[in-house]
Amino acid sequence: MTPSLPWTAVALLGGALLLGIGGWALARIVRARSSGAMLAADDGRAAPVDLVSDRLGLVGRPDEIRRLRDGRLVPVEIKSRTAPASGVFPSHRVQVEAYCALLESTDGRPPPYGIVVYQGGVQRVVPWNSVARNEVLRLLETLRAPYDGRATPSPGKCRGCRWRDGCDARAG
Ligand code: SF4
């Protein structure tokens, strides 16, 4: 019977919309569970927390600290620039790794990862593992060394620079 066709179309459209809304809600729940509940924030949404580690000689205040369902803490850094094609920018990686090191030192439990949030809410994960920990410790060591006067990026200077891995300004 032809009059039933529009209702069929409406029902199909309604079903598709419900599926779409359901998928969107599910994606939000999955994202919230993987990034945790907000514990601290530097912009008034929650009280900020300063992380201080005498052992590392390091102080920092992440934009957010989130608590995962298993109790582990995750630092979040919010950036206004657009996300790179993949991963995070080197300086952002080092910054979030430093927050992970601070959380590990102050909370006693290593975070599984840190998060960088780019323009448009694009979230990128920075793993916290032995490679990342070594990078932070190495950078802290080199930062404590006297500055050797290299200020202007050039392929020749940057090639042998000890800060090269974490420097966005490097040439070549
Ligand atoms: S890598 Fe960065 S810090 Fe090192 S010389 Fe180049 S611009 Fe300067």
Side-chain angles (χ1 to χ4, degrees), residues 51 56 58-66 73-79 87-105 110-118 122-129 131-133 135-137 139 166 168:
L51 302 170
L56 295 170
L58 197 60
V59 176
R61 179 188 285 187
D63 287 334
E64 288 179 20
I65 299 175
R66 297 182 189 167
L73 303 179
V74 169
V76 179
E77 184 62 21
I78 299 170
K79 299 296 184 188
V88 301
F89 292 105
S91 59
H92 299 168
R93 183 188 70 242
V94 170
Q95 186 180 5
V96 169
E97 286 175 350
Y99 290 144
C100 287
L102 276 165
L103 278 176
E104 182 174 85
S105 176
Y113 48 79
I115 296 173
V116 182
V117 181
Y118 287 104
V122 175
Q123 293 195 17
R124 296 281 166 78
V125 166
V126 177
W128 180 240
N129 50 32
V131 174
R133 191 176 293 106
E135 180 171 50
V136 171
L137 295 177
L139 283 168
D168 286 342

Side-chain angles (χ1 to χ4, degrees), residues 19-38:
L19 279 175
I21 291 168
W24 173 78
L26 184 63
R28 273 182 62 110
I29 290 167
V30 168
R31 198 178 310 130
R33 284 187 176 172
S34 63
S35 56
M38 188 181 307

Side-chain angles (χ1 to χ4, degrees), residues 147-148 150-154 157-171:
Y147 179 56
D148 61 9
R150 303 182 214 216
T152 309
S154 74
K157 287 179 182 172
C158 297
R159 194 174 301 120
C161 176
R162 63 174 67 135
W163 291 286
R164 179 183 172 80
D165 286 348
C167 180
D168 286 342
R170 66 178 181 259

Side-chain angles (χ1 to χ4, degrees), residues 66-86:
R66 297 182 189 167
R67 188 185 292 282
L68 301 178
R69 286 160 67 87
D70 64 7
R72 288 181 295 177
L73 303 179
V74 169
V76 179
E77 184 62 21
I78 299 170
K79 299 296 184 188
S80 56
R81 66 190 292 185
T82 54
S86 64

